Amino acid sequence: MNNSSNRFEQMSYKLKSAGYKLTPQRVIILQILSQRQDHPNPDSIYATLKKQLPTTSPATIYKTLAVLKNLKEVLEIQYSKESNRYDGYNPIPHPHIHCIKCKKLSDLNLFVFDQLSEEVQKQTGYQVHSLNLLIDGICPECQLTSQEDDK
Amino acid sequence: MNNSSNRFEQMSYKLKSAGYKLTPQRVIILQILSQRQDHPNPDSIYATLKKQLPTTSPATIYKTLAVLKNLKEVLEIQYSKESNRYDGYNPIPHPHIHCIKCKKLSDLNLFVFDQLSEEVQKQTGYQVHSLNLLIDGICPECQLTSQEDDK
DNA sequence: ATACGTGCAAATACTTTGCAGGCTT
DNA sequence: AAGCCTGCAAAGTATTTGCACGTAT
């Protein structure tokens, strides 16, 4: 059993345990979230979902994402300009790097990250809820193709 | 001469050198940005500006902030839910901690932060543009007052 | 039957844009 | 005179909300 299947089972279980119903819409949303590792935004999830259930509305996705976020079964990566992206494959908080050209959003391994929360808590006295590290840049591929539009 | 005055001079100089005009609106915006250390959002800047120039519109603030951001004379702290906040007092990228109760946004000193950009660049090959570390939590004061609303 | 979920549409919030008029150099 | 800047209003985008209907237990 691969991680996608595990994630699907885990999310389904969590939803049901918390008293939520596993509707056809939600099943598909869970499938999408457990499989995709490209951190889709609501609109992208909507596009896929609409193919299988054409009557679905975006509101359903937003509502389900909110539930999953509260259950910590999906990680929300917040943007101010573009819409949020969601990681259901690996919902444990981790830093990301975002290419501002091709919009790709990738995981980033930083061994300092996991200690940060506790360190900040100690240093500031804040009760830390979430720690968002988001890096914007240009990925190696886009660096090649963007040489011509440099001034 | 204190840092606020320095910042005001520096921002004025940068604007003029880059060919922008120093209009009355912009003078006041620069004053606000150079003095306030609470990381105001556009609306808060607007409220102050409106007192001195009642006909000012929010668009003027957004446009001026965009210019200053490009000149790197103001640091934009991005949110997805609330509006952006701006640091003109210390425009060099640095991490922040945000209280989700009282909305206070404070600077955070993390000695690891300054090395991160280069480390990420090496590790990923990305050309790093900006590194945003934003921590959400509850500040010590709000922890005291919020005990009663805990479930 | 009761409560939850869905889909639609309207509302909200923040920010950007187009444009006409004004001011500065 | 030319160009930049402002203020207004409209448009744009992302997300949330209210509500009536449907469905599952």
Side-chain angles (χ1 to χ4, degrees), chain A residues 21 23 25-26 55 57 60 63:
Chain A
K21 288 176 187 162
T23 63
Q25 288 87 340
R26 288 187 175 161
T55 60
S57 88
T60 300
K63 286 166 187 167

Side-chain angles (χ1 to χ4, degrees), chain B residues 109-148:
Chain B
N109 290 316
L110 284 182
F111 70 100
V112 288
F113 187 80
D114 296 324
Q115 313 149 211
L116 274 183
S117 183
E118 206 188 342
E119 187 183 325
V120 168
Q121 199 135 349
K122 254 187 233 164
Q123 182 181 320
T124 63
Y126 273 62
Q127 203 180 93
V128 172
H129 277 220
S130 77
L131 207 141
N132 271 290
L133 177 53
L134 178 58
I135 298 174
D136 280 327
I138 301 180
C139 70
E141 297 78 44
C142 286
Q143 285 173 38
L144 294 176
T145 59
S146 70
Q147 277 161 0
E148 58 252 34

Side-chain angles (χ1 to χ4, degrees), chain A:
Chain A
M1 196 187 249
N2 61 27
N3 189 36
S4 287
S5 314
N6 275 333
R7 289 294 307 134
F8 180 79
E9 296 302 330
Q10 165 75 7
M11 290 197 259
S12 308
Y13 175 76
K14 262 289 193 65
L15 271 186
K16 282 186 289 189
S17 315
Y20 296 99
K21 288 176 187 162
L22 210 51
T23 63
Q25 288 87 340
R26 288 187 175 161
V27 168
I28 300 176
I29 293 173
L30 295 193
Q31 283 172 352
I32 295 169
L33 286 172
S34 60
Q35 282 163 15
R36 290 180 59 173
Q37 289 171 251
D38 63 342
H39 312 86
N41 61 19
D43 201 56
S44 167
I45 296 169
Y46 178 58
T48 306
L49 178 50
K50 214 175 162 58
K51 282 180 201 152
Q52 302 183 52
L53 281 178
T55 60
T56 311
S57 88
T60 300
I61 295 179
Y62 281 103
K63 286 166 187 167
T64 298
L65 285 172
V67 168
L68 290 171
K69 182 187 161 194
N70 284 336
L71 296 175
K72 300 204 194 308
E73 286 300 322
V74 80
L75 180 69
E76 185 180 74
I77 301 120
Q78 301 191 351
Y79 283 84
S80 76
K81 296 296 149 58
E82 305 164 29
S83 62
N84 289 343
R85 306 270 288 256
Y86 293 86
D87 192 341
Y89 185 83
N90 174 18
I92 297 162
H94 58 283
H96 293 87
I97 188 157
H98 174 238
C99 177
I100 58 178
K101 296 243 176 198
C102 69
K103 309 299 184 196
K104 175 173 52 195
L105 183 66
S106 311
D107 294 334
L108 188 62
N109 290 315
L110 284 182
F111 69 100
V112 288
F113 187 80
D114 296 324
Q115 314 149 211
L116 274 183
S117 182
E118 204 186 343
E119 187 182 324
V120 168
Q121 200 135 348
K122 254 187 233 165
Q123 182 181 321
T124 63
Y126 273 62
Q127 203 179 92
V128 172
H129 277 220
S130 76
L131 207 141
N132 272 290
L133 176 53
L134 178 57
I135 298 174
D136 280 328
I138 301 179
C139 71
E141 297 79 43
C142 287
Q143 284 173 40
L144 294 175
T145 59
S146 70
Q147 277 160 0
E148 58 252 33
D149 19 279
D150 284 357
K151 30 180 174 192

Side-chain angles (χ1 to χ4, degrees), chain B:
Chain B
M1 197 187 249
N2 61 27
N3 189 36
S4 286
S5 315
N6 275 333
R7 288 294 307 133
F8 180 79
E9 297 302 330
Q10 165 75 7
M11 290 198 259
S12 309
Y13 175 76
K14 262 289 194 65
L15 271 186
K16 282 186 289 189
S17 316
Y20 296 100
K21 287 176 187 162
L22 211 51
T23 62
Q25 289 87 341
R26 288 187 175 161
V27 168
I28 300 175
I29 294 174
L30 294 193
Q31 283 172 351
I32 295 169
L33 287 172
S34 60
Q35 283 164 13
R36 290 181 58 174
Q37 288 172 250
D38 63 343
H39 311 87
N41 61 19
D43 201 56
S44 167
I45 296 169
Y46 178 59
T48 306
L49 178 50
K50 216 176 161 58
K51 283 180 200 150
Q52 302 183 52
L53 282 178
T55 60
T56 310
S57 88
T60 299
I61 295 179
Y62 281 104
K63 285 167 187 167
T64 298
L65 286 172
V67 168
L68 290 171
K69 182 187 160 193
N70 284 336
L71 296 174
K72 301 205 193 307
E73 286 299 323
V74 79
L75 181 68
E76 184 180 74
I77 302 119
Q78 301 191 353
Y79 283 84
S80 76
K81 296 296 150 57
E82 305 163 30
S83 62
N84 289 344
R85 307 270 289 255
Y86 293 85
D87 192 341
Y89 184 83
N90 174 18
I92 297 161
H94 58 284
H96 294 87
I97 188 158
H98 174 239
C99 177
I100 58 178
K101 295 244 176 196
C102 68
K103 309 298 182 196
K104 175 172 53 195
L105 182 65
S106 311
D107 294 334
L108 189 62
N109 290 316
L110 284 182
F111 70 100
V112 288
F113 187 80
D114 296 324
Q115 313 149 211
L116 274 183
S117 183
E118 206 188 342
E119 187 183 325
V120 168
Q121 199 135 349
K122 254 187 233 164
Q123 182 181 320
T124 63
Y126 273 62
Q127 203 180 93
V128 172
H129 277 220
S130 77
L131 207 141
N132 271 290
L133 177 53
L134 178 58
I135 298 174
D136 280 327
I138 301 180
C139 70
E141 297 78 44
C142 286
Q143 285 173 38
L144 294 176
T145 59
S146 70
Q147 277 161 0
E148 58 252 34
D149 20 278
D150 285 357
K151 27 172 178 213

